[in-house]
């Protein structure tokens, strides 16, 4: 059975729109990158639109300065070399964060077992090097040769399928599925479908190194149909999804793992989706998800083809974010890769993830904004003692702007000039903060596009960074270490303007003015419309909290009262912070394997979620005024 691509003209137009630019009528052959694709396609008999489409789904044609992707892929064709990129375990092993984040239970600090070696089929650089009679280092670092290597692999896959080179794009569907590297037939076909949807709609963009590349739209493609996802998984159509259940299992000494049963959204509304990265490769991470003594998350997404594995039903509470209030009201999604060791994520994973997040947001009524679609790095500590150990994935190289474009909810640019509220929205490719510590502590990271904007204490690049009393309780200033989020803002986050001096803008941040360059010809913050909070008249300052727990009187006799503990920050009179709306106070008491003992405590106390620093936070609604900002 076959299907036409695009299904309708609207689908093709949507693909082009999400790619960021209108569909071109013909290819722009002026750039070297474009000529490299044309030459490699001709040399190996691969249709040029197929070569361009595969490369777009891997890297969006970027060179990434020869650095590996988060799944060990190099160059525009994402040729993988695990030897060069290295391996690691799970980020849940790192730092002092308790992934459950509940004071009513002993802290959980899991340790992963030995890493599982990635499958041999992901070492594609060796096969490409053999075909070209060159070496792996050349294919990793030379963009022209990298494109030739990808074309040679596609041509080899076509021969192995018993097909001739040349021909129409749709004749290469099988070769494209094999290029995905997936051993899962549905995932490989989903990857190919995304490639051919891109070919059908066309796209043009400027790469990270300034190369203009165009893939012209191709009409009239007809491709094979394939089966859907297995029953029981909560996934959107047209992504590959499998069930790899996390165990809900009783353990010795009255312990249990690795998540809590619940009845969301009936018992508690799901307010957030938390984006993580795995800090490890697929096979090792999936073994951890199935370990009853480890922690849990709801989904994992594979890098090379976008395959989704669901581990915990959305109705249940996974142990993933290090803050029990957030855990109880969120869905956690892990993405194969690393926050800093290997610094770019594949387009296949971005697209699969955005489809999943869009589906979950619609199903559970979660707003598509950066106050509700958050990174693990945006989750607040629960008490002053836990802030320093909170995690910082998916890191400053996750492209939030592109991700929200794919979600159909573009960031920035909706306010009037001079608005008292701004949305952080730098040019990802051009914004390259000088972080350190990606590979070695204190050593500079490779220059990379980033979603992060660094804040200074004065309107000067040479002035110190801001202080974070939670991350740096000794009073020292924040640093440029890639893991130090104490003086940086992220794409899509909104902040109240404190002052403007020439090309510099200051925002309120952790009780301080945080300055960043924001010149008229290169804005990194766009005017926004929304709401801000400020202390009520007569209050010099109000406490800030990492969770929205109920008042003591709300707890039944069989549930221990949870302390309402302020963080080491205050919101002072005259300062304003972006509001994401009010939230009721809740605590999910779940400390035993027997679900009949579980209780959702809801209080009369109400909170307001705010963007206080790099992380979200909460203030009591009775302490603040909520004002419009425009």
């Amino acid at each position: 059975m076959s299907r036409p691509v695009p299904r309708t003209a609207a689908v093709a137009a949507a693909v082009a729109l999400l790619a960021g630019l209108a569909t071109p009528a013909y290819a722009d052959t002026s750039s070297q990158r474009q000529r490299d694709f044309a030459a490699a396609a001709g040399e190996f008999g691969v249709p040029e639109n197929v070569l361009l489409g595969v490369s777009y789904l891997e890297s969006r044609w970027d060179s990434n300065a020869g650095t590996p992707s988060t799944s060990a892929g190099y160059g525009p064709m994402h040729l993988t070399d695990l030897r060069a990129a290295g391996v690691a375990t799970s980020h849940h092993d790192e730092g002092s964060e308790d992934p459950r984040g509940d004071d009513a239970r002993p802290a959980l600090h899991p340790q992963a077992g030995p890493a599982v070696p990635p499958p041999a089929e992901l070492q594609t650089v060796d096969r490409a090097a053999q075909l070209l009679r060159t070496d792996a280092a050349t294919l990793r670092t030379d963009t022209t040769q990298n494109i030739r290597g990808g074309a040679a692999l596609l041509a080899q896959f076509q021969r192995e399928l018993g097909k001739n080179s040349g021909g129409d794009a749709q004749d290469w569907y099988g070769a494209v599925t094999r290029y995905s590297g997936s051993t899962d037939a549905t995932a490989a076909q989903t990857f190919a479908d995304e490639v051919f949807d891109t070919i059908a709609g066309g796209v043009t963009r400027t790469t990270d190194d300034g190369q203009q590349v165009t893939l012209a739209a191709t009409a009239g493609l007809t491709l094979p149909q394939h089966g859907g996802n297995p029953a029981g998984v909560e996934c959107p159509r047209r992504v590959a999804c499998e069930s790899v259940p996390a165990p809900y299992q009783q353990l010795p000494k009255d312990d249990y793992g690795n998540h809590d049963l619940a009845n969301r959204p009936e018992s508690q509304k799901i307010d957030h989706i938390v984006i993580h990265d795995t800090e490890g490769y697929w096979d090792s991470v999936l073994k951890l998800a199935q370990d009853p003594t480890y922690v849990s998350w709801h989904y994992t997404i594979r890098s090379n083809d976008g395959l989704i594995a669901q581990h915990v039903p959305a109705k249940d509470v996974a142990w993933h974010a290090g803050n029990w209030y957030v855990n109880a009201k969120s869905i956690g999604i892990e993405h194969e890769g690393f926050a800093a060791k290997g610094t770019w994520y594949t387009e296949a994973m971005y697209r699969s993830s955005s489809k999943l997040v869009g589906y979950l947001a619609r199903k559970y009524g979660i707003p598509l904004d950066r106050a509700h679609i958050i990174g693990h790095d945006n989750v607040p500590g629960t008490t002053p003692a836990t802030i320093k150990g909170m995690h910082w994935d998916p890191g400053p190289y996750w492209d939030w702007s592109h991700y929200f474009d794919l979600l159909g909810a573009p960031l920035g640019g909706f306010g009037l000039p001079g608005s008292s509220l701004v949305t952080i929205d730098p040019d990802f490719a051009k914004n390259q903060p000088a972080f350190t510590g990606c590979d070695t502590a204190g050593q500079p990271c490779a220059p990379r596009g980033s979603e992060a904007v660094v804040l200074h204490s004065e309107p000067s690049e040479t002035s110190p960074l801001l202080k974070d009393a939670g991350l740096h309780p000794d009073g020292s200033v924040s640093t440029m270490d890639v893991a130090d989020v104490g003086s940086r803002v992220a794409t899509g986050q909104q902040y109240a303007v404190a002052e403007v001096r020439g090309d510099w803008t200051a925002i309120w941040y952790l009780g301080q003015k945080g300055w960043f360059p924001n010149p008229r010809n290169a804005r990194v913050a766009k005017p926004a419309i929304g709401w801000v909070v400020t202390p009520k008249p007569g209050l010099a300052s109000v406490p800030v909290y990492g969770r929205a727990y109920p008042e003591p009187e709300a707890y039944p006799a069989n549930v221990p009262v949870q302390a309402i503990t302020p963080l080491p920050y205050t919101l002072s009179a005259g300062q304003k912070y972006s509001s994401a709306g009010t939230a009721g106070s809740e605590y999910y008491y779940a400390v035993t394997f027997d679900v009949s003992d579980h209780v959702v405590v809801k209080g009369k106390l109400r909170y307001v979620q705010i963007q206080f620093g790099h992380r979200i936070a909460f203030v009591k609604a009775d302490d603040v005024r909520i004002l419009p900002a425009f």
Side-chain angles (χ1 to χ4, degrees), residues 164 166 193 352 488 515:
N164 296 325
D193 287 349
S352 187
R488 73 175 71 153
W515 291 90

Side-chain angles (χ1 to χ4, degrees), residues 219-240:
L221 297 174
T222 302
L223 304 177
Q225 291 275 17
H226 55 85
N229 291 314
V233 295
E234 299 168 278
C235 282
R237 296 180 61 188
R238 298 199 67 247
V239 297

Side-chain angles (χ1 to χ4, degrees), residues 218-552:
T218 303
L221 297 174
T222 302
L223 304 177
Q225 291 275 17
H226 55 85
N229 291 314
V233 295
E234 299 168 278
C235 282
R237 296 180 61 188
R238 298 199 67 247
V239 297
C241 201
E242 64 180 8
S243 177
V244 183
Y248 185 69
Q249 183 175 321
Q250 195 158 17
L251 302 171
K253 299 181 181 179
D254 295 324
D255 197 7
Y256 67 99
N258 59 14
H259 59 280
D260 279 294
L261 303 186
N263 190 32
R264 306 184 306 175
E266 285 76 14
S267 57
Q268 290 184 280
K269 186 178 182 298
I270 301 172
D271 287 333
H272 297 96
I273 295 174
V274 182
I275 303 299
H276 302 258
D277 75 62
T278 61
E279 295 299 312
Y281 292 115
W282 179 262
D283 290 342
S284 293
V285 171
L286 259 60
K287 284 180 68 70
L288 295 175
Q290 298 171 82
D291 182 349
T293 67
Y294 205 66
V295 296
S296 58
W297 48 94
H298 292 87
Y299 298 88
T300 307
I301 304 181
R302 190 160 64 190
S303 178
N304 65 297
D305 56 8
L307 175 65
I308 299 170
Q310 183 173 11
H311 311 300
V312 177
K315 72 179 185 66
D316 295 333
V317 178
W319 304 343
H320 63 98
N323 181 316
W324 183 243
Y325 176 81
V326 174
N327 278 341
K329 298 176 70 62
S330 71
I331 294 171
I333 304 176
E334 293 275 2
H335 296 75
E336 183 187 17
F338 305 86
K341 182 182 174 63
T343 51
W344 56 282
Y345 296 87
T346 66
E347 180 69 2
M349 186 161 65
Y350 274 129
R351 289 196 176 198
S352 187
S353 179
S354 66
K355 286 183 171 67
L356 175 62
V357 167
Y359 162 83
L360 293 170
R362 291 187 296 272
K363 184 174 182 178
Y364 296 106
I366 303 168
L368 287 176
D369 60 40
R370 285 286 282 114
H372 297 89
I373 312 300
I374 61 177
H376 195 173
D377 57 331
N378 306 135
V379 176
T382 54
T383 66
T386 65
I387 295 172
K388 194 171 183 178
M390 296 299 289
H391 288 170
W392 55 279
D393 56 300
Y397 304 116
W398 178 270
D399 192 343
W400 284 108
S401 181
H402 178 55
Y403 192 60
F404 270 78
D405 285 347
L406 291 172
L407 282 167
L411 300 169
F414 301 109
L416 298 174
S419 172
S420 60
L421 188 71
V422 292
T423 301
I424 305 302
D425 190 24
D427 183 312
F428 183 85
K430 295 178 181 178
N431 181 54
Q432 299 187 4
F435 293 125
T436 63
C438 288
D439 295 306
T440 304
Q443 294 302 305
C445 299
R448 287 277 310 135
S450 173
E451 52 84 54
V453 174
V454 177
L455 301 178
H456 293 264
S457 54
E458 296 291 339
S460 165
E461 294 281 6
T462 60
S463 66
L465 304 187
L466 302 183
K467 295 183 178 181
D468 184 327
L471 283 178
H472 304 285
D474 62 355
S476 60
V477 298
S478 300
T479 70
M480 287 300 292
D481 186 273
V482 70
D484 188 343
V485 299
S487 189
R488 73 175 71 153
V489 291
T491 295
Q493 293 177 332
Q494 293 188 331
Y495 295 89
V497 175
E499 188 178 351
V500 176
R501 293 188 206 169
D503 286 344
W504 286 76
T505 296
I507 56 173
W508 291 115
Y509 185 97
L510 297 178
Q512 306 154 81
K513 287 183 180 180
W515 291 90
F516 59 95
N518 190 34
R520 290 179 180 273
N521 62 346
R523 293 292 193 197
V524 298
K526 313 295 172 58
I529 298 173
W531 300 87
V532 294
V533 301
T534 193
K536 283 186 174 179
L539 296 178
S541 64
V542 300
V544 178
Y545 304 92
R547 50 197 179 186
Y549 276 176
E551 67 279 6

Side-chain angles (χ1 to χ4, degrees), residues 549-556 559 561-562 564 601 605:
Y549 276 176
E551 67 279 6
E553 297 77 18
Y555 290 81
V559 177
V561 173
Q562 299 301 298
I564 301 175
V601 181
L605 190 61

Side-chain angles (χ1 to χ4, degrees), residues 94-187:
E94 299 175 356
S96 59
E97 181 187 90
D98 168 18
R100 292 188 301 201
D102 183 6
D103 298 344
R105 298 187 289 203
L108 181 65
H109 298 294
Q111 288 296 314
V116 176
E121 58 265 22
L122 292 184
Q123 189 70 21
T124 58
V125 72
D126 291 343
R127 194 170 187 189
Q130 184 179 26
L131 290 169
L132 296 186
R133 293 186 174 89
T134 186
D135 57 87
T138 298
L139 292 176
R140 291 196 305 267
T141 58
D142 187 315
T143 302
T144 300
Q145 297 306 313
N146 183 274
I147 292 171
R148 290 185 67 235
L153 280 176
L154 278 167
Q156 180 64 23
F157 294 148
Q158 187 78 336
R159 287 191 295 272
E160 291 172 356
L161 291 170
K163 296 186 177 183
N164 296 325
S165 60
D168 295 330
Q170 62 196 30
D171 297 332
W172 288 73
Y173 186 88
V176 172
T177 64
R178 296 184 74 171
Y179 197 94
S180 72
S182 178
T183 57
D184 180 275
T186 302

